[in-house]
Each structure stands twice: as C-alpha cells, then as structure tokens.
Amino acid sequence: KEAVKQFGGIDILINNASAISLTGTLHTPMKRYDLMNGVNARGTYLCSQACLPHLLKSPNPHILNISPPLNMAAKWFKGHVAYTRAKYGMSMCALGMAEEFRDEGIAVNTLWPRTAIYTAAME
C-alpha cells in the first residue's frame, strides 16, 4: 500500500527474496525447512497475491520470480531436497499465475542465473 501511495501504482513485482540451505535431508532441521518454504514458495505467493490487484491496473504488468526451470531429474534434488523443493514452489507459482492471469495481460516469468551469486545467505 505504501508503494502504491508513494508511486501511484505497481507495474512490476520481482520476487527475489530467498532462503537457502544446501543440506541433505538428515541435516536439514524442520525449522530450516519451514524457513525455506516460508520465504521462497509462500513469500512468492503472498507478495504476488498482494500486488495483483495493483498489477491489474497497470498498462504493462509483470511478475518476475528468481527461480529455476522445473526439471524433475533426480540430480537437481540430490543433496538438497528441501531447498530445491522450496525454489520449485516459486517456479510453480510463475507457471500457474502466468496461465491464470494471461487474459488480463500480466506477464509472469522466471529468471535463473547460470551461476550462483554469492550472498550472506550462503554462509
């Protein structure tokens, strides 16, 4: 609401926030699992849902999720099932919302950098 008040609307939402833990199943406590799903999948859904009424008023609305292409090959899950699942949740939001809001003209896409970008979250 503050962004709409300050800038007069919302034209694009970039779902960039992410929680990461590249740990195996036996080394991922449920608190960490819940954090990754809460920030990644739930956060993407929540922010998108909150922005959609304003995006529907935009002449060129977009949602961009920083999330991977959906690939069910086991190698993408090995060693970090919880993280991959949480990030795929973001990608599934894009897939579903792209179709759901196609007729309203909202473009919903994903972007996945080819290499890892080191941030404090990776420490």
Side-chain angles (χ1 to χ4, degrees):
K1 291 180 183 182
E2 288 299 315
V4 171
K5 185 176 175 182
Q6 178 71 28
F7 300 107
I10 296 175
D11 296 314
I12 186 168
L13 166 66
I14 300 175
N15 286 306
N16 187 47
S18 186
I20 182 172
S21 179
L22 298 177
T23 52
T25 302
L26 293 175
H27 295 98
T28 305
M30 286 311 299
K31 185 174 182 178
R32 178 63 57 150
Y33 176 92
D34 289 342
L35 174 69
M36 287 190 287
N37 278 281
V39 171
N40 300 350
R42 187 176 191 276
T44 294
Y45 187 90
L46 176 70
C47 290
S48 299
Q49 186 182 56
C51 288
L52 278 163
H54 307 288
L55 290 167
L56 287 166
K57 298 174 187 173
S58 171
N60 191 21
H62 290 77
I63 296 175
L64 179 64
N65 296 345
I66 308 302
S67 62
L70 293 170
N71 184 333
M72 294 298 136
K75 70 179 185 176
W76 299 114
F77 293 86
K78 181 182 178 186
H80 42 75
V81 172
Y83 174 69
T84 300
R85 190 174 173 282
K87 289 302 284 189
Y88 276 22
M90 295 175 71
S91 301
M92 291 180 355
C93 282
L95 184 65
M97 289 179 193
E99 188 61 29
E100 182 176 357
F101 295 99
R102 175 185 310 276
D103 292 343
E104 286 84 357
I106 299 177
V108 186
N109 295 286
T110 65
L111 174 68
W112 192 240
R114 184 175 178 149
T115 61
I117 299 171
Y118 182 78
T119 67
M122 295 179 76
E123 293 179 356

